[in-house]
Amino acid sequence: MQTVETIASVRSALAEHRRAGRTIGFIPTMGALHKGHLALVRRARAEVDVVVVSIFVNPIQFNDQRDLAAYPRDLARDSAALHAERTDLLFAPTVSEMYPPGFQTEVRVKEVSKPLEGVSRGTAHFDGVATVVAKLFNIVQPGRAYFGQKDAQQVVVVTRMVRDLAIPVEIVVCPTVREADGLAMSSRNVRLDADARRRAPAIKRALDAASRLVESGERRASIVAEAATRTLADAGITPEYCDVVSPVDLRPLESISDDVLIAIAARVGDVRLIDNILVSIGSSAQ
Ligand code: AMP
């Protein structure tokens, strides 16, 4: 595995592969890698010739400077894990490489950035995500890019951006990887104290309770959201949001007539966690 820090060295490392017509798969991350990230790398390894991973804790997508400062970083451990997964190229740029003095361009995906995380963290969060992902796509120019369903709104924002700007990349969405007790793997989980770690799996239980209701025929979104909220309350968790939305454009739903996305954000102890479940009701919708 080759590790590079500059845009110029990514371009030169990939030039020969591109000339030879090899397919390039790309996984953008913020590091502190866990099995969720590595599942994306493994999927790419199985599908493309050249696997490129970026590790960049993107300052412009953090609305909370304490969260940015506390974000876990361990490049040595991450590189060993990526090497073991047969990654070809690791791009780990500095902040000044990505945002040199004078940088002033922003990519904003207007509507789908507004609900859910947009309400909780502000729409600037996804402006930061869209801007960095657009820049990374321009640097790596992959044929495929791999994202986790764990960050459902990010998938919608990036998919919309790629369509709107005609960026020639296929977005591949991979299932959420979980701990044995259901907690979605996240780089932030290491910051949960013992009490919060014990309570956090209630988020998945809440999503499952909501999903079971939809599957058993409940079509009122408010009843579905209430079931999830009750399960969270039993674990002493008050969500920032617990929303039933369209998986296509994240529009809030009142009544469920097609596939739905149920999304939760909650602070557990000191740590803000997000999770979601997609419930497919297909053509049997009532
Ligand atoms: P992050 O480093 O948190 O920005 O995540 C980088 C990529 O890994 C994103 O596409 C995430 O959606 C994905 N990811 C993070 N956690 C998980 C997980 N538990 N399962 C699957 N994908 C994940």
Side-chain angles (χ1 to χ4, degrees):
M1 184 178 78
Q2 194 183 348
T3 301
V4 298
E5 287 186 0
T6 66
I7 295 167
S9 31
V10 174
R11 293 205 200 283
S12 66
L14 294 177
E16 176 53 32
H17 292 304
R18 240 185 277 282
R19 262 197 302 278
R22 296 190 189 107
T23 55
I24 296 171
F26 176 47
I27 303 104
T29 82
M30 298 205 298
L33 301 180
H34 51 66
K35 288 183 192 150
H37 298 111
L38 299 180
L40 306 185
V41 176
R42 221 164 283 169
R43 172 89 176 261
R45 184 70 283 168
E47 293 185 355
V48 300
D49 299 322
V50 183
V51 175
V52 183
V53 176
S54 64
I55 293 182
F56 180 60
V57 182
N58 178 31
I60 67 168
Q61 74 184 67
F62 282 80
N63 54 312
D64 176 347
Q65 290 310 301
R66 282 167 310 173
D67 189 28
L68 173 61
Y71 202 84
R73 295 158 212 244
D74 191 342
L75 191 59
R77 193 175 148 276
D78 289 346
S79 320
L82 291 172
H83 179 72
E85 295 295 340
R86 296 180 295 126
T87 301
D88 296 295
L89 181 66
L90 167 58
F91 177 43
T94 59
V95 172
S96 61
E97 179 70 4
M98 291 298 280
Y99 302 118
F103 188 96
Q104 55 187 289
T105 301
E106 185 171 88
V107 178
R108 170 173 301 166
V109 187
K110 286 187 272 192
E111 293 308 319
V112 292
S113 297
K114 286 180 186 167
L116 307 174
E117 293 294 283
V119 174
S120 280
R121 303 180 71 174
T123 47
H125 167 64
F126 282 114
D127 300 344
V129 170
T131 302
V132 80
V133 172
K135 180 156 186 169
L136 289 166
F137 282 174
N138 280 332
I139 295 166
V140 177
Q141 297 181 27
R144 284 185 184 176
Y146 296 81
F147 289 84
Q149 176 61 32
K150 154 87 169 33
D151 297 278
Q153 190 169 9
Q154 174 168 275
V155 167
V156 175
V157 168
V158 169
T159 304
R160 190 70 255 167
M161 174 186 82
V162 159
R163 278 200 207 136
D164 289 354
L165 300 183
I167 302 176
V169 59
E170 180 189 342
I171 304 301
V172 181
V173 185
C174 303
T176 302
V177 177
R178 300 178 179 282
E179 301 288 354
D181 58 12
L183 175 64
M185 291 195 183
S186 163
S187 305
R188 291 187 169 86
N189 291 354
V190 295
R191 291 172 41 214
L192 293 165
D193 64 23
D195 174 62
R197 176 65 189 82
R198 189 179 48 72
R199 292 187 295 121
I203 297 176
K204 175 60 163 55
R205 288 201 300 278
L207 292 169
D208 286 341
S211 156
R212 275 195 304 272
L213 261 187
V214 176
E215 278 161 1
S216 67
E218 180 56 63
R219 293 294 173 260
R220 292 164 295 178
S222 59
I223 304 287
V224 171
E226 269 166 41
T229 309
R230 264 199 310 279
T231 309
L232 292 172
D234 289 345
I237 298 172
T238 308
E240 279 181 14
Y241 60 77
C242 172
D243 288 354
V244 178
V245 301
S246 152
V248 180
D249 57 12
L250 308 176
R251 204 172 17 90
L253 299 175
E254 271 179 31
S255 94
I256 299 167
S257 58
D258 208 337
D259 298 348
V260 286
L261 178 74
I262 305 166
I264 292 175
R267 220 165 253 288
V268 186
D270 283 341
V271 186
R272 185 174 185 280
L273 299 176
I274 60 170
D275 200 352
N276 67 86
I277 197 164
L278 259 174
V279 192
S280 206
I281 56 177
S283 55
S284 66
Q286 297 162 14

